[in-house]
Amino acid sequence: MATFVLIHGGGHGGWCYGEVSPLLRDAGHMIHAPSLTGCGDRKHTVTSSTDLDTHITDVVNLMEFEDLSEVILVGHSYGGMVITGVADRVPARIRELVFLDASHPTDGVSLRMNAPHRIEPAYAGMRVVDGVELVLFPQPGWAAFFGIRDPDDVAWAEPRFTPHPWKCFDQPLLLHNGDAAFKLPRTNINCTETLRDSPEDMRRRQLDGHRNFEIDTGHDLMITEPGKVAEMLLSVAA
């Protein structure tokens, strides 16, 4: 039995793994798919200080309080920032990192710096609500922004998107333990569309895993192709 911790991306919550988690669980594995502070079902917990470090701490605390070990730590999109930070803090608890069409940060780099062509448009729509800077405000047709086009998937996902704290995208990742996070085995599961549209330096990082998979689908691949994602994650567990 393997232990999976599934981390969502910006504007999402643990709900986005709703079709992947049962497939992994039915195969006999333990699954944790938390919503990070201020996101999804925890949108009410957001504060003006919620940032990348907050989300790294969310996951570290989950792993420590549940005493998880040999974790296959999966991060989607912005979640790549989070799982890299977690791997830096508690590398001994992690068996492998899986980047699910995700950001591949290095020390001192924020998501805004890592993917400006995607984050600057989000910043342009930033609003301050109750003293908190938020981006990715849901709107009609928002599912298409994440590559979700099937009508049933759209109907399920669109009511669940939530705004995301801007500081998470703007705060640089600061590593505490040298290159510990980069010594762990890593798997990349990329979307064909993302690979095609990525700058060359980003594409190199997307293909530098010990294993690299590709799915021809939209960015929210855990929603659009849950069976294929689960199959690839099960191959990592095996």
Side-chain angles (χ1 to χ4, degrees):
M1 180 185 76
T3 299
F4 286 92
V5 176
L6 311 175
I7 304 304
H8 62 82
H12 293 59
W15 61 266
C16 69
Y17 291 105
E19 294 189 60
V20 171
S21 293
L23 297 175
L24 300 177
R25 196 173 287 116
D26 288 348
H29 302 299
M30 180 184 296
I31 312 301
H32 294 271
S35 291
L36 302 172
T37 297
C39 302
D41 56 289
R42 300 187 64 219
K43 64 180 182 179
H44 60 287
T45 63
V46 72
T47 71
S48 60
S49 61
T50 302
D51 57 16
L52 174 59
D53 279 342
T54 306
H55 289 166
I56 292 170
T57 301
D58 283 341
V59 183
V60 169
N61 284 348
L62 168 68
M63 293 170 67
E64 290 182 341
F65 277 78
E66 295 290 340
D67 195 21
L68 304 182
S69 60
E70 290 293 299
V71 170
I72 299 174
L73 183 58
V74 181
H76 172 248
S77 194
Y78 158 75
M81 301 287 300
V82 179
I83 67 171
T84 304
V86 174
D88 170 70
R89 308 302 195 269
V90 287
R93 292 187 179 271
I94 299 170
R95 169 178 158 185
E96 184 154 349
L97 299 175
V98 179
F99 291 80
L100 200 58
D101 214 45
S103 173
H104 294 261
T106 53
D107 191 19
V109 173
S110 68
L111 186 63
R112 185 182 194 179
M113 296 161 64
N114 198 47
H117 61 299
R118 293 174 184 154
I119 300 305
E120 290 304 329
Y123 179 70
M126 190 265 286
R127 304 180 208 166
V128 179
V129 179
D130 296 329
V132 183
E133 294 180 333
L134 298 170
V135 294
L136 299 182
F137 281 84
Q139 52 190 293
W142 200 229
F145 176 78
F146 295 107
I148 304 171
R149 295 179 178 86
D150 179 87
D152 290 339
D153 291 339
V154 170
W156 179 69
E158 285 214 332
R160 292 173 168 82
F161 293 123
T162 47
H164 199 90
W166 166 248
K167 284 186 177 179
C168 300
F169 296 166
D170 199 35
Q171 182 188 29
L173 174 69
L174 298 179
L175 301 180
H176 300 171
N177 290 305
D179 62 353
F182 304 107
K183 291 181 177 179
L184 292 166
R186 58 178 55 211
T187 291
N188 296 320
I189 302 178
N190 298 303
C191 293
T192 300
E193 181 178 321
T194 302
L195 284 174
R196 184 179 63 243
D197 296 340
S198 294
E200 185 58 35
D201 61 334
M202 183 180 294
R203 190 178 299 110
R204 282 196 299 271
R205 295 194 296 272
Q206 292 164 333
L207 296 173
D208 72 350
H210 295 84
R211 282 172 290 205
N212 299 293
F213 299 105
E214 184 176 333
I215 303 178
D216 189 8
T217 190
H219 180 54
D220 271 11
L221 64 173
M222 66 285 181
I223 295 175
T224 60
E225 291 286 357
K228 290 182 180 179
V229 169
E231 180 182 352
M232 292 173 182
L233 293 178
L234 289 173
S235 73
V236 173

